[in-house]
Amino acid sequence: MKLDASNIKELNLLKYYRLIRKWACKTYSLSDSDLELLIYLDCKNRFTRNEFIEGVYTYSWDKSRWERLRRQGWIEVWRHRNRTTIKYSIYKTSFKCSQLISRIYRIMLAEEDLPTSERSIFYNNKSYTDKVYNKAINDMIKDKHR
């Protein structure tokens, strides 16, 4: 089955993308560009450091992004280089990253709701912006056509 624009529109796939992205970034301490880059890299499956650099061209400049994402466990080595037969290391997104992206897809497809419990970092805050997001989450959960 081939998808086209009308199929995606009928799914309302991007209707709550901004809210879901904000939830994921705040909950997992990521920037918007980091999250979108991780989605891009997850789609590539395995990649080199140079492919990472090519993927970063469309995002704001952040010199420490590579090391930060590796240190925080979002990117891991799939195959190390050995300096004789293997000239460069191959990387992949971690299990933690794959699970987050899968969860984002499930929420976008309305298979799962955004968490609204007391433990939720995103849902339990007191600023005006947080209250607006909480109202948006409640509206999203009530929406029968998402």
Side-chain angles (χ1 to χ4, degrees), residues 10-25:
E10 288 174 20
L11 288 173
N12 292 322
L13 195 61
L14 299 175
K15 187 174 184 179
Y16 294 106
Y17 174 70
R18 179 176 170 81
L19 180 63
I20 295 166
R21 188 187 75 217
K22 291 290 185 188
W23 163 81
C25 289

Side-chain angles (χ1 to χ4, degrees), residues 57-97:
Y57 285 143
T58 58
Y59 300 104
S60 60
W61 174 248
D62 183 359
K63 185 177 180 182
S64 62
R65 180 177 283 138
W66 172 259
E67 277 306 314
R68 186 180 65 250
L69 291 175
R70 287 195 57 209
R71 191 174 48 251
Q72 292 175 351
W74 296 106
I75 296 173
E76 58 188 25
V77 177
W78 181 73
R79 184 185 73 192
H80 288 282
R81 65 182 271 202
N82 67 5
R83 298 176 194 225
T84 56
T85 57
I86 302 170
K87 302 289 184 199
Y88 47 86
S89 295
I90 305 286
Y91 299 91
K92 66 176 187 146
T93 54
S94 66
F95 179 75
K96 172 173 97 169
C97 180

